[in-house]
Amino acid sequence: MDIPNVASQFSAGEGGGMRKNPTLLCAPVMADSVDKMHLDVSKAKASGADLVEIRLDSLKTFNPSSHLPTLINNRPLPLLFTYRPNWEGGMYEGDDNTRFHALRLAMELGADYIDIELKVANQFYDFIRGKTYDKTKVIVSSHNYQQTPSVEDLGDLVARIQATRADIVKIATTALEITDVARMFQIMVHSQVPFIGLVMGDRGLISRILCAKFGGYLTFGTLESGVVSAPGQPTLKDLLHLYNLRQVGPDTKVFGIIGKPVGHSKSPTLFNEAFKSLGINGVYVFLLVDDLAKFLSTYSSTDFVGFSVTIPHKEAAVTCCDEVDPVAKSIGAVNCIIRRPTDGKLIGGTVVSPLAGKLFVVIGAGGAGKALAYGAKEKGARVVIANRTYDRARELADLIGGDALALADLDNYHPEDGMILANTTSIGMQPKVDETPVSKHALKYYSLVFDAVYTPKMTRLLTEAEESGATVVTGLEMFLGQAYGQFEKYTGMPEIVRCWFTDPRSRTVSSALLHAPASFKLPLNGEGLSLGRNAVSAVKELLPDSAQGHLAAVCSWADDVGYTHNYRWSQPLHYETVMIPMPINMSVSLQLFTTIQCNSNRNSTPLHVGFLGDLGGNTITVRWYRRKTNLHHVWDDMIIESALKTFYGSDLSTMIQAIQSNITLCTQLYSLSKLVYASLIEYYTIYIFHSRYASESISLACKFAYRNATPGSTLEDEYFLSRLPIVEKRLAQAGVRLAAILNRIFTSKTRIAQS
């Protein structure tokens, strides 16, 4: 049976591009002193929050007349003031009038938001005598720590809150099941007023992420893990960097791992990074599910595209799917579910991790055990199933044609040496890391020991097996293999996705490769190049006749054709987002195809390594003399054109001679750039290239290109005359280092090829 290809559902995008939703990210601050609150507000700003909730009820000592002005004046972010009483889940135990006085003072001082509970909202408005404060929006909130009401009751609650003259409606409920969250989404997506809808608890986690998809006004992210103002809050870091919250929009597709427990899984980290790197508009979330059938029927929208399935739902998934592939059906376990976009039907499959061997002992008769036993049997192994319950072991053994024994008997089971052992149970998983399914003395009979548990990576079983002389395989290898198989089923992406999962260096591959015409082939791994021959000759063979053997004639070809209809797909190939090690980590946009071609004037400038937020100066609008342009274009063309006219009488050859005489080793770098261009695809992921060259280039951009170039400013002679000599010197230094680095790389590769 064919697995549906759902790739057509995805729209490619930049992992760090413009935000796709207006949902605000609020960091709750629950410090016990005002000084600590100041520090936390600054930390929230540095961490990417849009606003901060000041929980006044957390303060040990609070003097409104002195503390509120201190907090409000010169605040670096908008502030939401909450003074939560203990009867609504807070820590304040005093009378309401004291709270009302503090909140009214905050409004008078210009607070951006205040939160008041629905139960006392009318009293509060009477207290302030119906006065409105233009600078302050009032959030009227309701918290239910027992359950999530029906859609009808939630709708009535929204109407009651609106009747209080609230600017923003906030409802927080508690999830008894993950399906409760769907009712909140239904209210959210149809709300006609600014609406904050959050469902507390681990089963409600998706409400805090997918509110960005369904139109929520804000969500909360904590500064530190575990320091929460309500149950189930994720961290700011996870919302921004694990779930890529800014990139979640109405058309974002939803994936997730279904299980119970599920919080230990590394799948969201792996899949979301893959989505981001490959330009897929999707988000992968934890799904703590109690009733699989109910979950699948509740979240039946085709926006919920695919699910990884783990314990204890793999066997139940077989009956929940509309269609099941033959392998999954034969072993009675499904670990991957796809919702077919054409009709919404659920297609179940299994990504098998086959391990071949001699005598193959599988611990566990659940879904993972079935998959592994089936794969081993298919490869010709003699399979033995060991399980705590012998009857379950016997049942699986009969199904696949193997033997069975009780787990308690495994310590004394050694019919031969060199056996293979595979643990597919949760024995040894955090937090019970001291447990192991088999005694250490029995491990000497195994040549290979595998553990499906990957938290911790090295379980007690693997540690003792290694000490006993066995080769060990961690659960991470199985996890990556399954993840790749599931990812391919989710997206229908080509072979390059496999590279992303198997080679960490490839995880920066551009999304453009996935949308290139089928006829477009890249020389991956140096294919088509003979590195053992003279590199210059090899490059010349790649050049068209019109170039007359000169790389300079075609080095800007990728720039030029990127704006034509047939090559528009290639535009994302011109940049790469990397983290450069500096005093503060900075995301920068590295233009791979142009940065190192110093023989082309337009490409030997700063801002070909620039900040991701402004796309290397492309979104900073400035004027070059009277002409409106952007900062990137100023450094790409305009400074050079002005210098050519002012200093060299518009004589390009004179300018080139001057540059060659001023920049040390320019000739060597020119020659090396030919080699780099020819083999760029093979080497662009080399860490030393990214960090050494890009770090120097971003330093130049910060010191010279970005400096004083604010949006709307006019740049003239004074801007670039003082910069050119220093820039030339720094470029020369960078060129010398790059030449040395590349020389070592290619010398090494040539020796290997010749040998």
Side-chain angles (χ1 to χ4, degrees):
M1 181 191 67
D2 291 333
I3 294 294
N5 184 338
V6 295
S8 60
Q9 300 181 75
F10 304 113
S11 58
E14 330 291 326
M18 296 179 63
R19 61 191 297 170
K20 296 180 180 178
N21 64 74
T23 302
L24 300 175
L25 187 47
C26 180
V29 168
M30 302 184 68
D32 57 8
S33 70
V34 172
D35 288 341
K36 181 65 164 58
M37 281 185 169
H38 276 297
L39 294 174
D40 285 348
V41 171
S42 297
K43 184 187 295 185
K45 180 178 175 61
S47 299
D50 297 307
L51 70 153
V52 173
E53 180 187 34
I54 299 293
R55 287 293 298 265
L56 297 173
D57 52 300
S58 70
L59 290 169
K60 289 184 177 179
T61 303
F62 178 45
N63 184 338
S65 60
S66 62
H67 290 157
L68 286 175
T70 300
L71 288 166
I72 294 173
N73 295 337
N74 301 316
R75 57 193 181 276
L77 285 174
L79 299 182
L80 158 61
F81 286 91
T82 299
Y83 207 171
R84 191 76 73 216
N86 54 7
W87 48 261
E88 189 86 354
M91 292 177 278
Y92 177 72
E93 298 179 348
D95 65 276
D96 284 337
N97 279 344
T98 300
R99 288 198 308 129
F100 293 170
H101 172 76
L103 292 174
R104 181 177 66 183
L105 179 58
M107 297 172 76
E108 292 171 350
L109 292 170
D112 304 281
Y113 303 87
I114 63 106
D115 179 305
I116 191 70
E117 301 76 26
L118 172 62
K119 183 178 178 180
V120 295
N122 289 325
Q123 294 173 245
F124 177 71
Y125 276 109
D126 290 341
F127 182 84
I128 63 176
R129 295 183 176 86
K131 185 176 180 181
T132 59
Y133 297 85
D134 294 337
K135 293 183 179 180
T136 307
K137 289 183 171 61
V138 177
I139 300 173
V140 176
S141 61
S142 170
H143 298 78
N144 187 326
Y145 292 94
Q146 285 73 47
Q147 62 173 338
T148 298
S150 67
V151 171
E152 293 76 16
D153 289 344
L154 285 173
D156 291 342
L157 186 57
V158 171
R160 287 172 53 203
I161 293 177
Q162 283 185 267
T164 66
R165 294 170 290 171
D167 296 305
I168 300 167
V169 174
K170 178 188 175 185
I171 298 176
T173 63
T174 298
L176 302 180
E177 294 182 86
I178 194 171
T179 51
D180 294 344
V181 184
R183 299 197 288 278
M184 188 67 77
F185 288 153
Q186 189 172 344
I187 296 296
M188 186 180 298
V189 78
H190 291 105
S191 178
Q192 301 299 310
V193 297
F195 181 76
I196 304 169
L198 301 169
V199 185
M200 296 179 284
D202 292 340
R203 290 167 175 81
L205 174 63
I206 59 172
S207 71
R208 302 180 180 277
I209 302 162
L210 298 184
C211 59
K213 173 180 174 65
F214 294 110
Y217 185 80
L218 66 76
T219 188
F220 292 89
T222 65
L223 294 176
E224 299 176 28
S225 179
V227 184
V228 301
S229 61
Q233 287 176 344
T235 63
L236 270 173
K237 180 180 178 181
D238 281 352
L239 287 172
L240 286 171
H241 304 296
L242 172 57
Y243 300 110
N244 304 315
L245 188 78
R246 304 295 195 201
Q247 299 303 302
V248 175
D251 56 346
T252 297
K253 303 301 180 183
V254 181
F255 303 81
I257 180 163
I258 296 172
K260 182 184 178 183
V262 74
H264 65 278
S265 175
K266 297 294 189 293
S267 292
T269 300
L270 184 69
F271 280 98
N272 284 320
E273 183 61 29
F275 290 159
K276 183 177 180 180
S277 295
L278 298 173
I280 293 174
N281 187 9
V283 61
Y284 191 102
V285 295
F286 291 103
L287 300 168
L288 179 55
V289 173
D290 298 281
D291 186 326
L292 179 62
K294 186 176 181 180
F295 168 82
L296 293 171
S297 63
T298 300
Y299 295 96
S300 58
S301 164
T302 53
D303 273 3
F304 288 80
V305 176
F307 311 102
S308 309
V309 184
T310 187
I311 53 177
H313 299 302
K314 292 183 180 183
E315 292 158 296
V318 176
T319 60
C320 292
C321 293
D322 299 297
E323 301 175 22
V324 178
D325 73 32
V327 174
K329 187 176 294 183
S330 66
I331 65 175
V334 163
N335 65 13
C336 182
I337 299 175
I338 307 295
R339 178 168 276 115
R340 192 158 55 200
T342 53
D343 56 13
K345 287 189 175 182
L346 298 173
I347 313 301
T350 187
V351 179
V352 183
S353 298
L355 296 175
K358 305 167 188 175
L359 186 59
F360 195 99
V361 179
V362 178
I363 302 176
K370 287 181 179 180
L372 198 54
Y374 181 88
K377 189 68 177 180
E378 285 289 293
K379 294 294 184 181
R382 293 172 289 128
V383 178
V384 176
I385 308 297
N387 195 63
R388 281 176 174 169
T389 306
Y390 175 79
D391 290 343
R392 288 288 305 275
R394 184 74 264 169
E395 182 182 348
L396 176 55
D398 291 342
L399 178 66
I400 59 133
D403 294 324
L405 71 155
L407 182 59
D409 297 330
L410 188 57
D411 282 357
N412 299 315
Y413 180 77
H414 46 83
E416 62 186 61
D417 293 336
M419 298 184 292
I420 294 176
L421 179 68
N423 174 41
T424 68
T425 72
S426 59
I427 298 174
M429 181 186 293
Q430 288 179 343
K432 299 179 180 180
V433 296
D434 292 329
E435 294 184 355
T436 182
V438 61
S439 298
K440 182 177 180 180
H441 73 83
L443 295 174
K444 61 185 177 182
Y445 302 108
Y446 296 92
S447 60
L448 176 69
V449 176
F450 163 79
D451 199 339
V453 173
Y454 56 85
T455 52
K457 180 179 178 181
M458 283 298 292
T459 59
R460 178 183 169 187
L461 172 63
L462 293 181
T463 300
E464 292 181 346
E466 194 170 53
E467 292 171 353
S468 301
T471 300
V472 299
V473 179
T474 70
L476 185 61
E477 181 176 347
M478 177 179 175
F479 168 65
L480 287 173
Q482 287 184 339
Y484 164 71
Q486 292 169 355
F487 191 91
E488 187 177 41
K489 288 182 178 182
Y490 293 156
T491 65
M493 292 299 185
E495 175 68 16
I496 198 163
V497 177
R498 181 182 293 275
C499 296
W500 194 94
F501 279 91
T502 57
D503 184 356
R505 296 180 308 163
S506 300
R507 295 180 188 171
T508 54
V509 68
S510 173
S511 62
L513 291 175
L514 303 175
H515 302 282
S519 60
F520 181 76
K521 303 295 182 183
L522 288 172
L524 294 172
N525 300 320
E527 182 180 351
L529 296 178
S530 176
L531 294 178
R533 294 178 295 162
N534 183 278
V536 174
S537 299
V539 171
K540 287 184 176 180
E541 289 180 11
L542 298 175
L543 298 175
D545 293 339
S546 59
Q548 297 181 347
H550 296 291
L551 180 64
V554 296
C555 64
S556 61
W557 172 85
D559 276 333
D560 299 333
V561 300
Y563 295 94
T564 65
H565 177 73
N566 290 338
Y567 283 88
R568 193 166 297 158
W569 58 267
S570 71
Q571 289 183 2
L573 286 172
H574 291 252
Y575 52 82
E576 180 58 35
T577 301
V578 295
M579 296 299 296
I580 301 301
M582 298 181 72
I584 300 176
N585 281 339
M586 301 178 183
S587 255
V588 301
S589 181
L590 173 58
Q591 293 202 254
L592 294 172
F593 277 83
T594 56
T595 310
I596 56 176
Q597 296 162 2
C598 76
N599 54 297
S600 173
N601 286 331
R602 62 184 297 244
N603 294 326
S604 59
T605 66
L607 289 183
H608 284 84
V609 179
F611 292 112
L612 183 62
D614 54 54
L615 302 181
N618 274 289
T619 63
I620 300 179
T621 302
V622 296
R623 288 185 179 275
W624 181 246
Y625 293 89
R626 296 182 180 180
R627 184 177 173 183
K628 188 176 181 180
T629 183
N630 64 66
L631 185 61
H632 186 99
H633 192 56
V634 167
W635 283 86
D636 233 7
D637 292 304
M638 291 181 165
I639 288 180
I640 296 171
E641 290 171 354
S642 296
L644 177 63
K645 180 179 179 180
T646 304
F647 304 121
Y648 304 104
S650 300
D651 186 339
L652 182 59
S653 62
T654 302
M655 184 179 186
I656 291 174
Q657 290 174 6
I659 292 175
Q660 288 177 332
S661 64
N662 290 333
I663 299 183
T664 308
L665 292 180
C666 185
T667 302
Q668 292 185 15
L669 192 55
Y670 170 80
S671 299
L672 281 168
S673 70
K674 296 180 181 180
L675 300 178
V676 174
Y677 192 82
S679 298
L680 183 60
I681 294 302
E682 183 176 4
Y683 295 109
Y684 78 89
T685 56
I686 294 176
Y687 173 76
I688 196 167
F689 176 88
H690 274 167
S691 61
R692 292 284 297 273
Y693 187 67
S695 294
E696 293 182 0
S697 189
I698 190 61
S699 297
L700 284 174
C702 291
K703 291 182 179 180
F704 304 113
Y706 283 114
R707 183 180 169 190
N708 299 327
T710 56
S713 60
T714 298
L715 308 178
E716 296 179 336
D717 288 349
E718 184 179 350
Y719 175 76
F720 79 92
L721 285 180
S722 61
R723 290 163 167 75
L724 278 180
I726 303 175
V727 170
E728 287 185 353
K729 179 181 178 182
R730 295 301 297 273
L731 280 175
Q733 294 170 346
V736 172
R737 292 186 182 131
L738 178 61
I741 292 166
L742 294 177
N743 185 55
R744 287 197 298 271
I745 292 171
F746 284 104
T747 299
S748 175
K749 293 295 290 186
T750 300
R751 288 173 180 167
I752 293 171
Q754 290 173 340
S755 64

